[in-house]
Amino acid sequence: MRHFEYARADSAQQAVAAHGSDREISFLAGGTTLLDLVKLDVMQPDKIVDINGVALDEIERLDDGRLRIGAMVTNTALARDKRVVDDYAVLSQALLAGASTQLRNKATTGGNVMQRVRCPYFRDGVSDCNKREPGSGCAAIGGVNRTVHAVLGTSDACIATHPSDMCVAMAAIGATVEVQGPEGAREIDFADFHLLPGKTPAREHALEPGELITHVVLDAPLEGSRSAYLKLRDRQSYQFALASSAVIVRMDGDTIADARVAMGGVGTKPWRAPEVEAALKGRAASEQLFADAAKLAFENAIAYAHNGYKIPLGQQAIVRNLSDLTAA
Amino acid sequence: MSDKQQSIIGAGVPRIDGPDKLSGRANYAADNLPPNLAYGYGVFSTIASGKVSQLSVDEARKMPGVVDIFHHSHFPTLYHTPSSFAQGNKVEETRLPFEDERVYYEGQFVALVIADTFENARAAARRVKVTYSTDQAVANLDQGVEANGTQAGSGNHDRGDAASAFDSAAATIDVTYRTPVETHNPMEMHASTAWWDDEHLTIFDASQGVVVARNALSKIFAMPPERITVHAPYIGSGFGSKLWTWPHAIATAAVSRELGRPVQLVVPRQQMFTTTGHRPETRQRLRLATDGNGKLVSLRHEAINTTSYTDQYVETCGSVTKSLYRCPNLTVSHETTQVNRGTPTSMRAPGAAPGLFALESAIDEMADAAGVDPVQFRLDNYAERDESQDLDFSSNHIVEATNRAAEKFGWADRNPEIGSMRKGREIVGYGMAACNWEALKRPCDARVSIRADGTAFASCATQDIGTGTYTIVAQAVSDVTGIPIDRITVKLGDSSYPDGPVSGGSWATATTLPAIAGAARKALDEIKRYATGSNGVFAGASGDDLEVADGGLRSADGKLVSFADILEAGRYGSADGEAHTEAADSKYSYRSFGAHFVEVRWDPGISHLRVARVVSAIDVGRVINETTARNQVEGAVVMGIGMGLFEATEYDQRNARPVNNDYAEYVVPVHADQPEIDVILLDHPDLAFNEYGARGIGEIGVTGLAAAIANAVHHATGKRIRELPITLDKLMDDVPQARSA
C-alpha cells in the first residue's frame, strides 16, 4: 500500500470541498473495493476522503412514492429495510445474493454503485488493461475470460462485466442518482450512470471529478407487481454472477401487463433489456414466450473464447425467473 | 488394560487443542512477534520465463522504514540440500532463493524488502523496479509436451502383456482424462518468523514436518542440526503444501542472520499459487478391456503431469491402478513435462486423487461398454490380493464397504437409464466410485513422562495440522497409563522433541501412536521399578504383579497407590520412557479401501449442477477417534466436491501467468455447496499393521469422489466429462463459439 493523505468529511459539501482539482482523490465509504485495490497497488490515490461521518444513512419514502436511499446506507441495512423487502423484493434479494454477510455489513449503496470490475487482468496490476493503463490493450480478449467477462456491451478495448448485483435490481426498478459536486447538486438517470467501455473503458461512470453520490432514488414501485432476482454461478454463494436476472412483472390474469427486465454477469454495465420487456408486454405468459423474449436480449451478443455459454445461460436466467414469477 | 481404559481408543474425544484455537491462544507461525522484529515482503516476477536484466532499488531504498533489500546480487551464500526423502532433508524447490537472475515461473521471488513494518515493506516492494529479458513461456501441459517432450517418471509397473490382451478382448475402451492445476489454499498463509541467538536459529514456520525442515536448513546453512530449532505448534492446515520447506522460509532465516534481528515473512495469497507448490496438471490415457464375462483382462494407465524447470515432481496417477482390480495384463506409466510454473508438490492424496478420477471414471465407462451395473462390475473385479507386489492385503474390506454404502445410499433404486430419474425440475444422477490409499508407517521416536503431580506429558516432533493428532496422542497415553485425558499434556511441532514423522501420507496416526504407547509403557515400567524398589510403596513385589488402575498401580491384594504417591515415596520428579518404533514391514500390502456414492441434481432449465448427497464407507482399520476421523472424511469429501465441480488454477496460455490466483476467483466449495454427508467407518482393526490396527484417514476420502460425481453426472445428463472441473458450461448444449478475432 502506498502512503496517502487522509481526510475526514462530516458533510457532503465538506467532502466535495476536500477534493482538489489536480490530484487523484478517492472517497472512502465501506472500502470493500477501494482498500482491496489500494493494497493490490491497482488504485493509487494521493488522498482519501473518508465519508463515513457524512450523515447519508437514511432511507426515506418521498411524497411521490419513490424511495430515497442515502449513499452510506449499508447493503445489509438496505436489504433488510421493510419498505425494500415489501416493495422492491428484487433489490433485497439481489443485495443478499452478493458478497458475504461481513462485506454487506461494510459495503454501502453509493460504494456498490461505484464498484470496480473483477477482471483479473485489471486486478493483477501487470497485464495490459485499458482501464488501468489506457492504451495498453485488453489482455482479457484472447485470455481467460470465462467468469467475469461480458457478452453484451463489450468493445475491443474492454470486456469486463460490471460485478454488482444491487445495480442490476436498480436498473430494473429504475432510479435516479443524486450527486453533489463542485458545481452544486445534480441528478443522473441510473440508466445513464454507468458507461459502456467503448474506446474509453477507464471512464466507467457519468460522475465528474469531485462529484459525490449522495443518494439513489428508486422509482415508485410498479403497482401490483411481483419481482425477483435470480443469480446463476458455479458455487452457491460468494461468487460473482455468471448470469443473473432482475425481473419485475405485473400480471393481468394470464397476461403480462407490464415487465421490467435487467441482467447481470453478462454485460459491461447493469443491463436493462427493453426489447425483452416490449416482447412480453400484453402477451399471455408461456414458456415459449419467455424463451422467445429472452433470446432478443442476446441478439447482439459477442462470445469470447470461454464465455459463449453466457448467451444461453443469460436467457435461462430470464426464463426461469419469469416462469417462477408468473406461476399461479 | 481395563475395559474402561480400552474404550478411550475409538471414543469421540473432543480436540484437546480446541479451546486454545477457539480462544486465539494457539500461536501460528506469523503470531510470533519477537522484539525488534523486521518484516519482509517479496517482489515477485511478473514474467514466467527469462532473466532479471535490471533491478533498481534506489527509489524503494528511500521509502520509510526500509532496512534492506535483498536480491540475486545481494544475498548471503547458502548451500544446496541433497533434498533426499530417505535422508530426511527434502525440499521441493531445490533452487535456492535468489540463487541467480533466472526466472522460471511467474510469482517467483526476485527481491525481498525488509522494513520495520509489514506495510512499509509492502509499500517499498512496489517501488522496486525490475526489468526482464523475457523468453516465450511454456504455459500448459500440451505446450510442454510440444516444446520439451516428456521425461520418464517413477512408480511405473508392468505385468503380463496389456497390448495383446487389449487387442483380443471382447470389449474395450480407450479414453483420455485431464485434471487441472489445483492449489492447496490452506487458511493459514505460509509464514515464517526466524531469529538467531548465539549462532542458534529458531524458526516458527508453517510446516507439516519440523524435523525434515530442520535437517534441510542444516544442509542449506551448513551448520549442525543441533543449532536449529523449527517450531510448528499449530498449522492452519497445509494439505501437502507445507510438507517441505519453500524458498520463503529459507530466505527468512538467511536475512535474519544477515541483519542480526528477527524477521517475519508471510507469503501473500496470490503467491501461494506460485511459490509454495500445487497439484500439477495431468493428462491420463486409460485403456481397459474385458473378456466376455465382464472381467478385466487388460488395463493401461499412462499419465503425464507438468513439472517445473528446476525440479521433477511426479504425480503418480497410477499408484492405485496397480492393485485395486484383478487384472493379469497391466501397465502403469508416469511421465512429466516441463512448464513455466513453480515446482508442484503433494496435495491431499497425491497421485491417487487425479488418478482415481481417471481410473474410476474409466471403470464406469468400461462397465457401460461391458453392459454391467457399475457396482456389480467393481464387485466382480476387485482384487483379492495385491498383484503388483504379489502380496496379500493385510486387511481389505472393500466389498463390505461397497455393499454397505450401496445399501445405505439406495443404489437398488437407481434406474440405469440416462436422465430417467427426476425430482421436480431436477434430473437426479446416481454415481459411485471406489476409493483407495496406501497405508504407511514411518520410523518414530517419542517420550512420555508420568509426573509427580500425577499428570502425564508426551512429546514427539510430529505435528497436528488440524487433523487431531494432539488428541489421539493423549488418547494413546491415557489408554496405556489410565491417566484421564484432562491430566495429559501433549507437545508436538518442535524439532527438539524426539524425531517424529512429517504429517502427510496419512501415516501420522499409524506412525506416532505405537511410539507413544511404547514410551508410555516404558514410563510405567520405570514407575513400577520405583514402586517395587527397596523404599517403594510395593517394596519386594514384582512389577508383573502390579496392574495399572485409576491413575496408579494396584497389587494383587487390591492395594491401590496413585502414581503421584509412588513418585512422592521415592522422591522422584517423574518416571520417563522413550521409545523408537520402526517403519512398516513388507509382509503384506497395507492399504485402505472404501467406496463413495453420490447423488447429483442437474437442473437443465438453469444449467445448475449440485451434489445433493454423499454416502461414503471407509475401511481404514481401527478408528482411534470417532469424531476427528469422521471429520477427516467429511472434509475430504468436501475437497472432492471442490475438485469435481470447481477447482482449477487457470493460466494464460500466452504467457503462463496464473489468472485466478486469489481466493475470490479460485472457487472452492462454500458451506452452501456441502450436502448431507453420511460417513460409515467400518472400524476393522488391522493388527498386522500396528498394535492399534489403525491405518490413517487423512487422504482416502478425497480419492474417487470426483469420479463418483462424474459418474453421477453421466447418469443424469448422458454427458461423460473427462476434464475437471465439471463446470456448467461443459454440460450445456449449443454453446456459441467465440467469434474469430
Side-chain angles (χ1 to χ4, degrees):
Chain A
M1 188 187 290
R2 298 177 185 231
H3 292 253
F4 50 78
E5 200 185 322
Y6 174 82
R8 267 201 194 96
D10 294 329
S11 69
Q13 287 79 2
Q14 223 181 66
V16 170
H19 191 283
S21 55
D22 55 352
R23 294 201 299 170
E24 283 281 318
I25 297 206
S26 291
F27 295 116
L28 173 67
T32 59
T33 293
L34 176 64
L35 296 184
D36 265 10
L37 291 174
V38 171
K39 287 180 196 171
L40 291 170
D41 210 33
V42 169
M43 290 180 75
Q44 298 150 1
D46 294 326
K47 181 175 177 180
I48 282 179
V49 180
D50 186 338
I51 55 170
N52 281 280
V54 175
L56 289 172
D57 53 359
E58 298 288 323
I59 303 172
E60 54 178 327
R61 174 79 72 189
L62 302 182
D63 293 340
D64 57 9
R66 297 188 302 155
L67 195 69
R68 190 170 190 244
I69 304 159
M72 294 303 292
V73 172
T74 67
N75 286 178
T76 297
L78 186 58
R80 301 294 184 201
D81 185 89
K82 191 170 182 327
R83 291 159 292 187
V84 173
V85 172
D86 290 348
D87 300 339
Y88 303 100
V90 63
L91 177 59
S92 179
Q93 290 172 19
L95 284 159
L96 295 175
S100 65
T101 304
Q102 294 92 331
L103 286 166
R104 292 194 296 268
N105 287 344
K106 289 297 290 181
T108 63
T109 305
N112 194 310
V113 171
M114 295 295 290
Q115 195 172 167
R116 307 296 303 273
V117 300
R118 297 295 305 191
C119 176
Y121 297 100
F122 167 72
R123 290 170 63 87
D124 72 11
V126 176
S127 298
D128 292 342
C129 174
N130 290 318
K131 270 194 194 298
R132 186 166 29 75
E133 201 69 53
S136 62
C138 174
I141 298 172
V144 177
N145 50 37
R146 177 179 172 272
T147 56
V148 288
H149 297 100
V151 293
L152 293 170
T154 58
S155 73
D156 289 341
C158 182
I159 63 170
T161 50
H162 191 274
S164 169
D165 294 300
M166 180 193 84
C167 289
V168 178
M170 287 178 172
I173 293 163
T176 305
V177 181
E178 296 183 351
V179 306
Q180 178 81 42
E183 311 296 320
R186 67 179 181 119
E187 296 186 349
I188 305 168
D189 191 321
F190 191 83
D192 300 330
F193 187 87
H194 297 100
L195 305 178
L196 293 174
K199 291 185 165 63
T200 56
R203 187 159 161 71
E204 297 176 338
H205 49 72
L207 289 182
E208 296 296 335
E211 281 189 321
L212 174 71
I213 297 172
T214 57
H215 300 86
V216 176
V217 186
L218 301 181
D219 288 359
L222 197 58
E223 199 67 37
S225 67
R226 284 179 246 170
S227 70
Y229 188 72
L230 177 62
K231 181 175 180 179
L232 304 179
R233 43 189 159 179
D234 291 311
R235 64 178 167 195
Q236 308 261 35
S237 175
Y238 200 60
Q239 190 185 8
F240 294 92
L242 300 175
S244 69
S245 69
V247 176
I248 306 167
V249 286
R250 186 166 60 80
M251 299 298 289
D252 181 3
D254 292 337
T255 302
I256 298 172
D258 203 350
R260 311 271 170 83
V261 177
M263 291 179 290
V266 293
T268 52
K269 61 179 276 187
W271 201 265
R272 182 83 177 254
E275 61 281 0
V276 178
E277 298 169 5
L280 293 169
K281 273 180 212 171
R283 306 281 298 276
S286 76
E287 290 290 313
Q288 192 57 52
L289 172 70
F290 303 154
D292 292 345
K295 205 167 186 179
L296 299 174
F298 291 88
E299 278 195 327
N300 298 315
I302 296 172
Y304 294 86
H306 310 116
N307 73 353
Y309 73 94
K310 288 190 174 188
I311 294 171
L313 191 71
Q315 294 174 53
Q316 290 182 330
I318 294 171
V319 170
R320 175 60 61 86
N321 204 343
L322 279 166
S323 179
D324 286 347
L325 278 173
T326 57
Chain B
M1 281 183 257
S2 70
D3 288 347
K4 184 182 159 202
Q5 284 157 2
Q6 279 182 348
S7 69
I8 192 129
I9 297 298
V13 176
R15 290 165 193 271
I16 61 173
D17 50 332
D20 277 353
K21 285 182 173 172
L22 285 175
S23 61
R25 286 194 299 271
N27 65 316
Y28 293 81
D31 291 337
N32 293 279
L33 305 172
N36 200 31
L37 179 64
Y39 295 81
Y41 199 90
V43 178
F44 299 96
S45 62
T46 56
I47 64 158
S49 179
K51 282 179 187 162
V52 173
S53 51
Q54 209 178 356
L55 199 144
S56 168
V57 299
D58 297 349
E59 192 191 343
R61 221 39 195 95
K62 293 182 198 132
M63 294 284 286
V66 171
V67 175
D68 206 342
I69 300 173
F70 294 92
H71 48 82
H72 66 274
S73 25
H74 171 47
F75 199 74
T77 301
L78 300 173
Y79 303 90
H80 287 117
T81 170
S83 189
S84 157
F85 181 80
Q87 292 174 22
N89 52 29
K90 184 176 165 65
V91 296
E92 205 77 86
E93 182 172 321
T94 53
R95 178 181 179 271
L96 292 166
F98 311 111
E99 187 163 2
D100 55 32
E101 76 284 11
R102 290 299 313 266
V103 174
Y104 296 98
Y105 57 90
E106 151 107 19
Q108 175 186 316
F109 278 93
V110 293
L112 177 59
V113 176
I114 308 295
D116 58 348
T117 67
F118 173 82
E119 289 77 11
N120 280 337
R122 183 169 60 184
R126 307 282 196 215
R127 295 293 204 283
V128 175
K129 290 196 168 55
V130 189
T131 52
Y132 301 92
S133 93
T134 308
D135 297 331
Q136 178 57 46
V138 175
N140 56 41
L141 189 146
D142 289 346
Q143 288 183 18
V145 171
E146 172 91 17
N148 300 318
T150 58
Q151 296 80 48
S154 51
N156 298 341
H157 177 73
D158 218 349
R159 63 177 184 257
D161 183 348
S164 305
F166 185 88
D167 291 341
S168 58
T172 64
I173 60 159
D174 179 354
V175 282
T176 297
Y177 299 88
R178 289 169 177 271
T179 63
V181 167
E182 284 187 279
T183 304
H184 306 73
N185 274 311
M187 264 166 80
E188 182 204 15
M189 316 295 272
H190 280 262
S192 309
T193 308
W195 61 90
W196 296 71
D197 296 303
D198 291 337
E199 294 295 300
H200 187 105
L201 167 63
T202 300
I203 180 166
F204 278 77
D205 191 33
S207 169
Q208 295 176 238
V210 291
V211 173
V212 175
R214 176 198 63 196
N215 296 348
L217 290 171
S218 151
K219 291 288 185 184
I220 288 163
F221 286 91
M223 55 192 272
E226 296 77 19
R227 293 203 341 239
I228 301 172
T229 310
V230 179
H231 296 269
Y234 294 97
I235 300 100
S237 202
F239 305 122
S241 70
K242 296 169 181 169
L243 284 171
W244 322 110
T245 306
W246 291 100
H248 66 273
I250 299 166
T252 306
V255 303
S256 170
R257 183 171 66 177
E258 198 71 6
L259 298 173
R261 66 189 283 191
V263 172
Q264 179 173 102
L265 178 57
V266 177
V267 181
R269 181 65 67 178
Q270 283 83 357
Q271 281 72 37
M272 281 175 54
F273 285 77
T274 63
T275 189
T276 58
H278 58 267
R279 196 199 295 281
E281 182 182 351
T282 76
R283 189 173 82 194
Q284 306 175 53
R285 185 179 185 191
L286 273 289
R287 280 177 283 182
L288 278 65
T290 52
D291 64 16
N293 299 318
K295 296 286 172 69
L296 282 169
V297 292
S298 176
L299 174 47
R300 278 174 285 181
H301 191 165
E302 294 151 306
I304 303 172
N305 72 266
T306 53
T307 191
S308 67
Y309 276 88
T310 53
D311 304 282
Q312 187 188 32
Y313 171 83
V314 181
E315 185 78 15
T316 52
C317 294
S319 58
V320 170
T321 308
K322 295 177 206 174
S323 61
L324 184 57
Y325 294 101
R326 181 179 55 245
C327 186
N329 305 295
L330 185 143
T331 300
V332 163
S333 79
H334 303 115
E335 294 179 301
T336 60
T337 189
Q338 291 177 317
V339 299
N340 287 109
R341 294 174 185 160
T343 301
T345 192
S346 298
M347 180 167 163
R348 201 173 194 176
L356 275 184
F357 163 65
L359 176 67
E360 285 297 290
S361 293
I363 288 289
D364 252 48
E365 295 201 57
M366 188 72 250
D368 227 17
V372 183
D373 170 81
V375 171
Q376 191 58 50
F377 185 86
R378 285 174 174 84
L379 292 170
D380 290 345
N381 283 283
Y382 282 143
E384 277 128 27
R385 62 194 310 270
D386 184 338
E387 294 176 345
S388 70
Q389 299 189 72
D390 195 21
L391 288 172
D392 287 333
F393 293 115
S394 58
S395 171
N396 174 356
H397 301 277
I398 194 167
V399 171
E400 181 190 339
T402 304
N403 285 330
R404 279 181 63 180
E407 191 183 336
K408 192 106 187 252
F409 180 81
W411 184 260
D413 302 333
R414 179 182 188 259
N415 179 342
E417 193 188 327
I418 301 290
S420 61
M421 296 169 67
R422 282 178 176 267
K423 282 206 175 138
R425 286 160 158 166
E426 293 180 318
I427 302 174
V428 178
Y430 282 7
M432 59 84 58
C435 56
N436 198 271
W437 183 247
E438 60 196 316
L440 297 157
K441 174 171 175 274
R442 311 279 309 148
C444 186
D445 294 308
R447 184 183 303 130
V448 171
S449 299
I450 299 168
R451 301 190 287 198
D453 59 1
T455 63
F457 177 93
S459 62
C460 177
T462 188
Q463 308 67 219
D464 187 329
I465 56 172
T467 53
T469 309
Y470 275 117
T471 308
I472 61 166
V473 165
Q475 287 176 262
V477 172
S478 179
D479 175 49
V480 174
T481 64
I483 296 171
I485 292 280
D486 61 1
R487 292 176 66 75
I488 297 168
T489 301
V490 180
K491 290 286 187 186
L492 309 173
D494 181 330
S495 65
S496 66
Y497 298 150
D499 280 9
V502 163
S503 297
S506 296
W507 61 53
T509 299
T511 299
T512 308
L513 257 49
I516 289 286
R521 278 193 291 269
K522 289 219 178 128
L524 284 179
D525 290 346
E526 191 69 2
I527 210 165
K528 284 178 183 172
R529 208 163 62 75
Y530 302 159
T532 55
S534 53
N535 296 322
V537 295
F538 295 112
S542 159
D544 295 342
D545 298 334
L546 299 174
E547 68 165 1
V548 175
D550 294 337
L553 295 176
R554 185 161 56 204
S555 60
D557 58 8
K559 179 181 171 190
L560 176 74
V561 184
S562 72
F563 295 136
D565 287 344
I566 295 168
L567 291 168
E568 170 69 21
R571 288 201 60 183
Y572 289 105
S574 65
D576 305 331
E578 290 197 22
H580 174 82
T581 46
E582 294 296 340
D585 61 38
S586 46
K587 288 182 196 157
Y588 294 97
S589 172
Y590 300 103
R591 301 196 71 86
S592 286
F593 300 88
H596 295 299
F597 285 72
V598 168
E599 176 182 330
V600 299
R601 299 288 185 90
W602 168 244
D603 184 340
I606 51 170
S607 303
H608 185 236
L609 176 68
R610 67 190 176 96
V611 174
R613 196 161 61 92
V614 178
V615 178
S616 301
I618 305 290
D619 167 32
V620 289
R622 177 177 282 158
V623 169
I624 302 298
N625 184 315
E626 208 269 343
T627 304
T628 57
R630 192 171 294 283
N631 171 258
Q632 280 299 298
V633 178
E634 289 170 350
V637 165
V638 172
M639 207 167 196
I641 291 172
M643 181 182 185
L645 301 187
F646 307 129
E647 291 188 50
T649 303
E650 298 184 275
Y651 297 82
D652 193 308
Q653 60 179 0
R654 298 167 298 187
N655 54 25
R657 182 174 289 154
V659 174
N660 61 339
N661 53 330
D662 69 63
Y663 214 30
E665 259 69 48
Y666 182 88
V667 178
V668 299
V670 295
H671 283 96
D673 298 302
Q674 299 175 24
E676 186 188 321
I677 301 169
D678 189 344
V679 177
I680 303 164
L681 300 169
L682 263 49
D683 202 22
H684 297 308
D686 184 352
L687 295 170
F689 190 46
N690 61 65
E691 64 177 283
Y692 284 98
R695 285 197 300 256
I697 199 168
E699 291 170 283
I700 186 166
V702 78
T703 73
L705 203 276
I709 294 173
N711 294 337
V713 166
H714 179 257
H715 179 226
T717 67
K719 291 192 168 65
R720 172 56 66 182
I721 307 301
R722 300 193 182 95
E723 181 170 2
L724 293 180
I726 306 172
T727 48
L728 57 94
D729 41 316
K730 293 176 183 168
L731 297 173
M732 294 173 74
D733 296 315
D734 305 324
V735 170
Q737 294 302 301
R739 60 155 189 189
S740 51

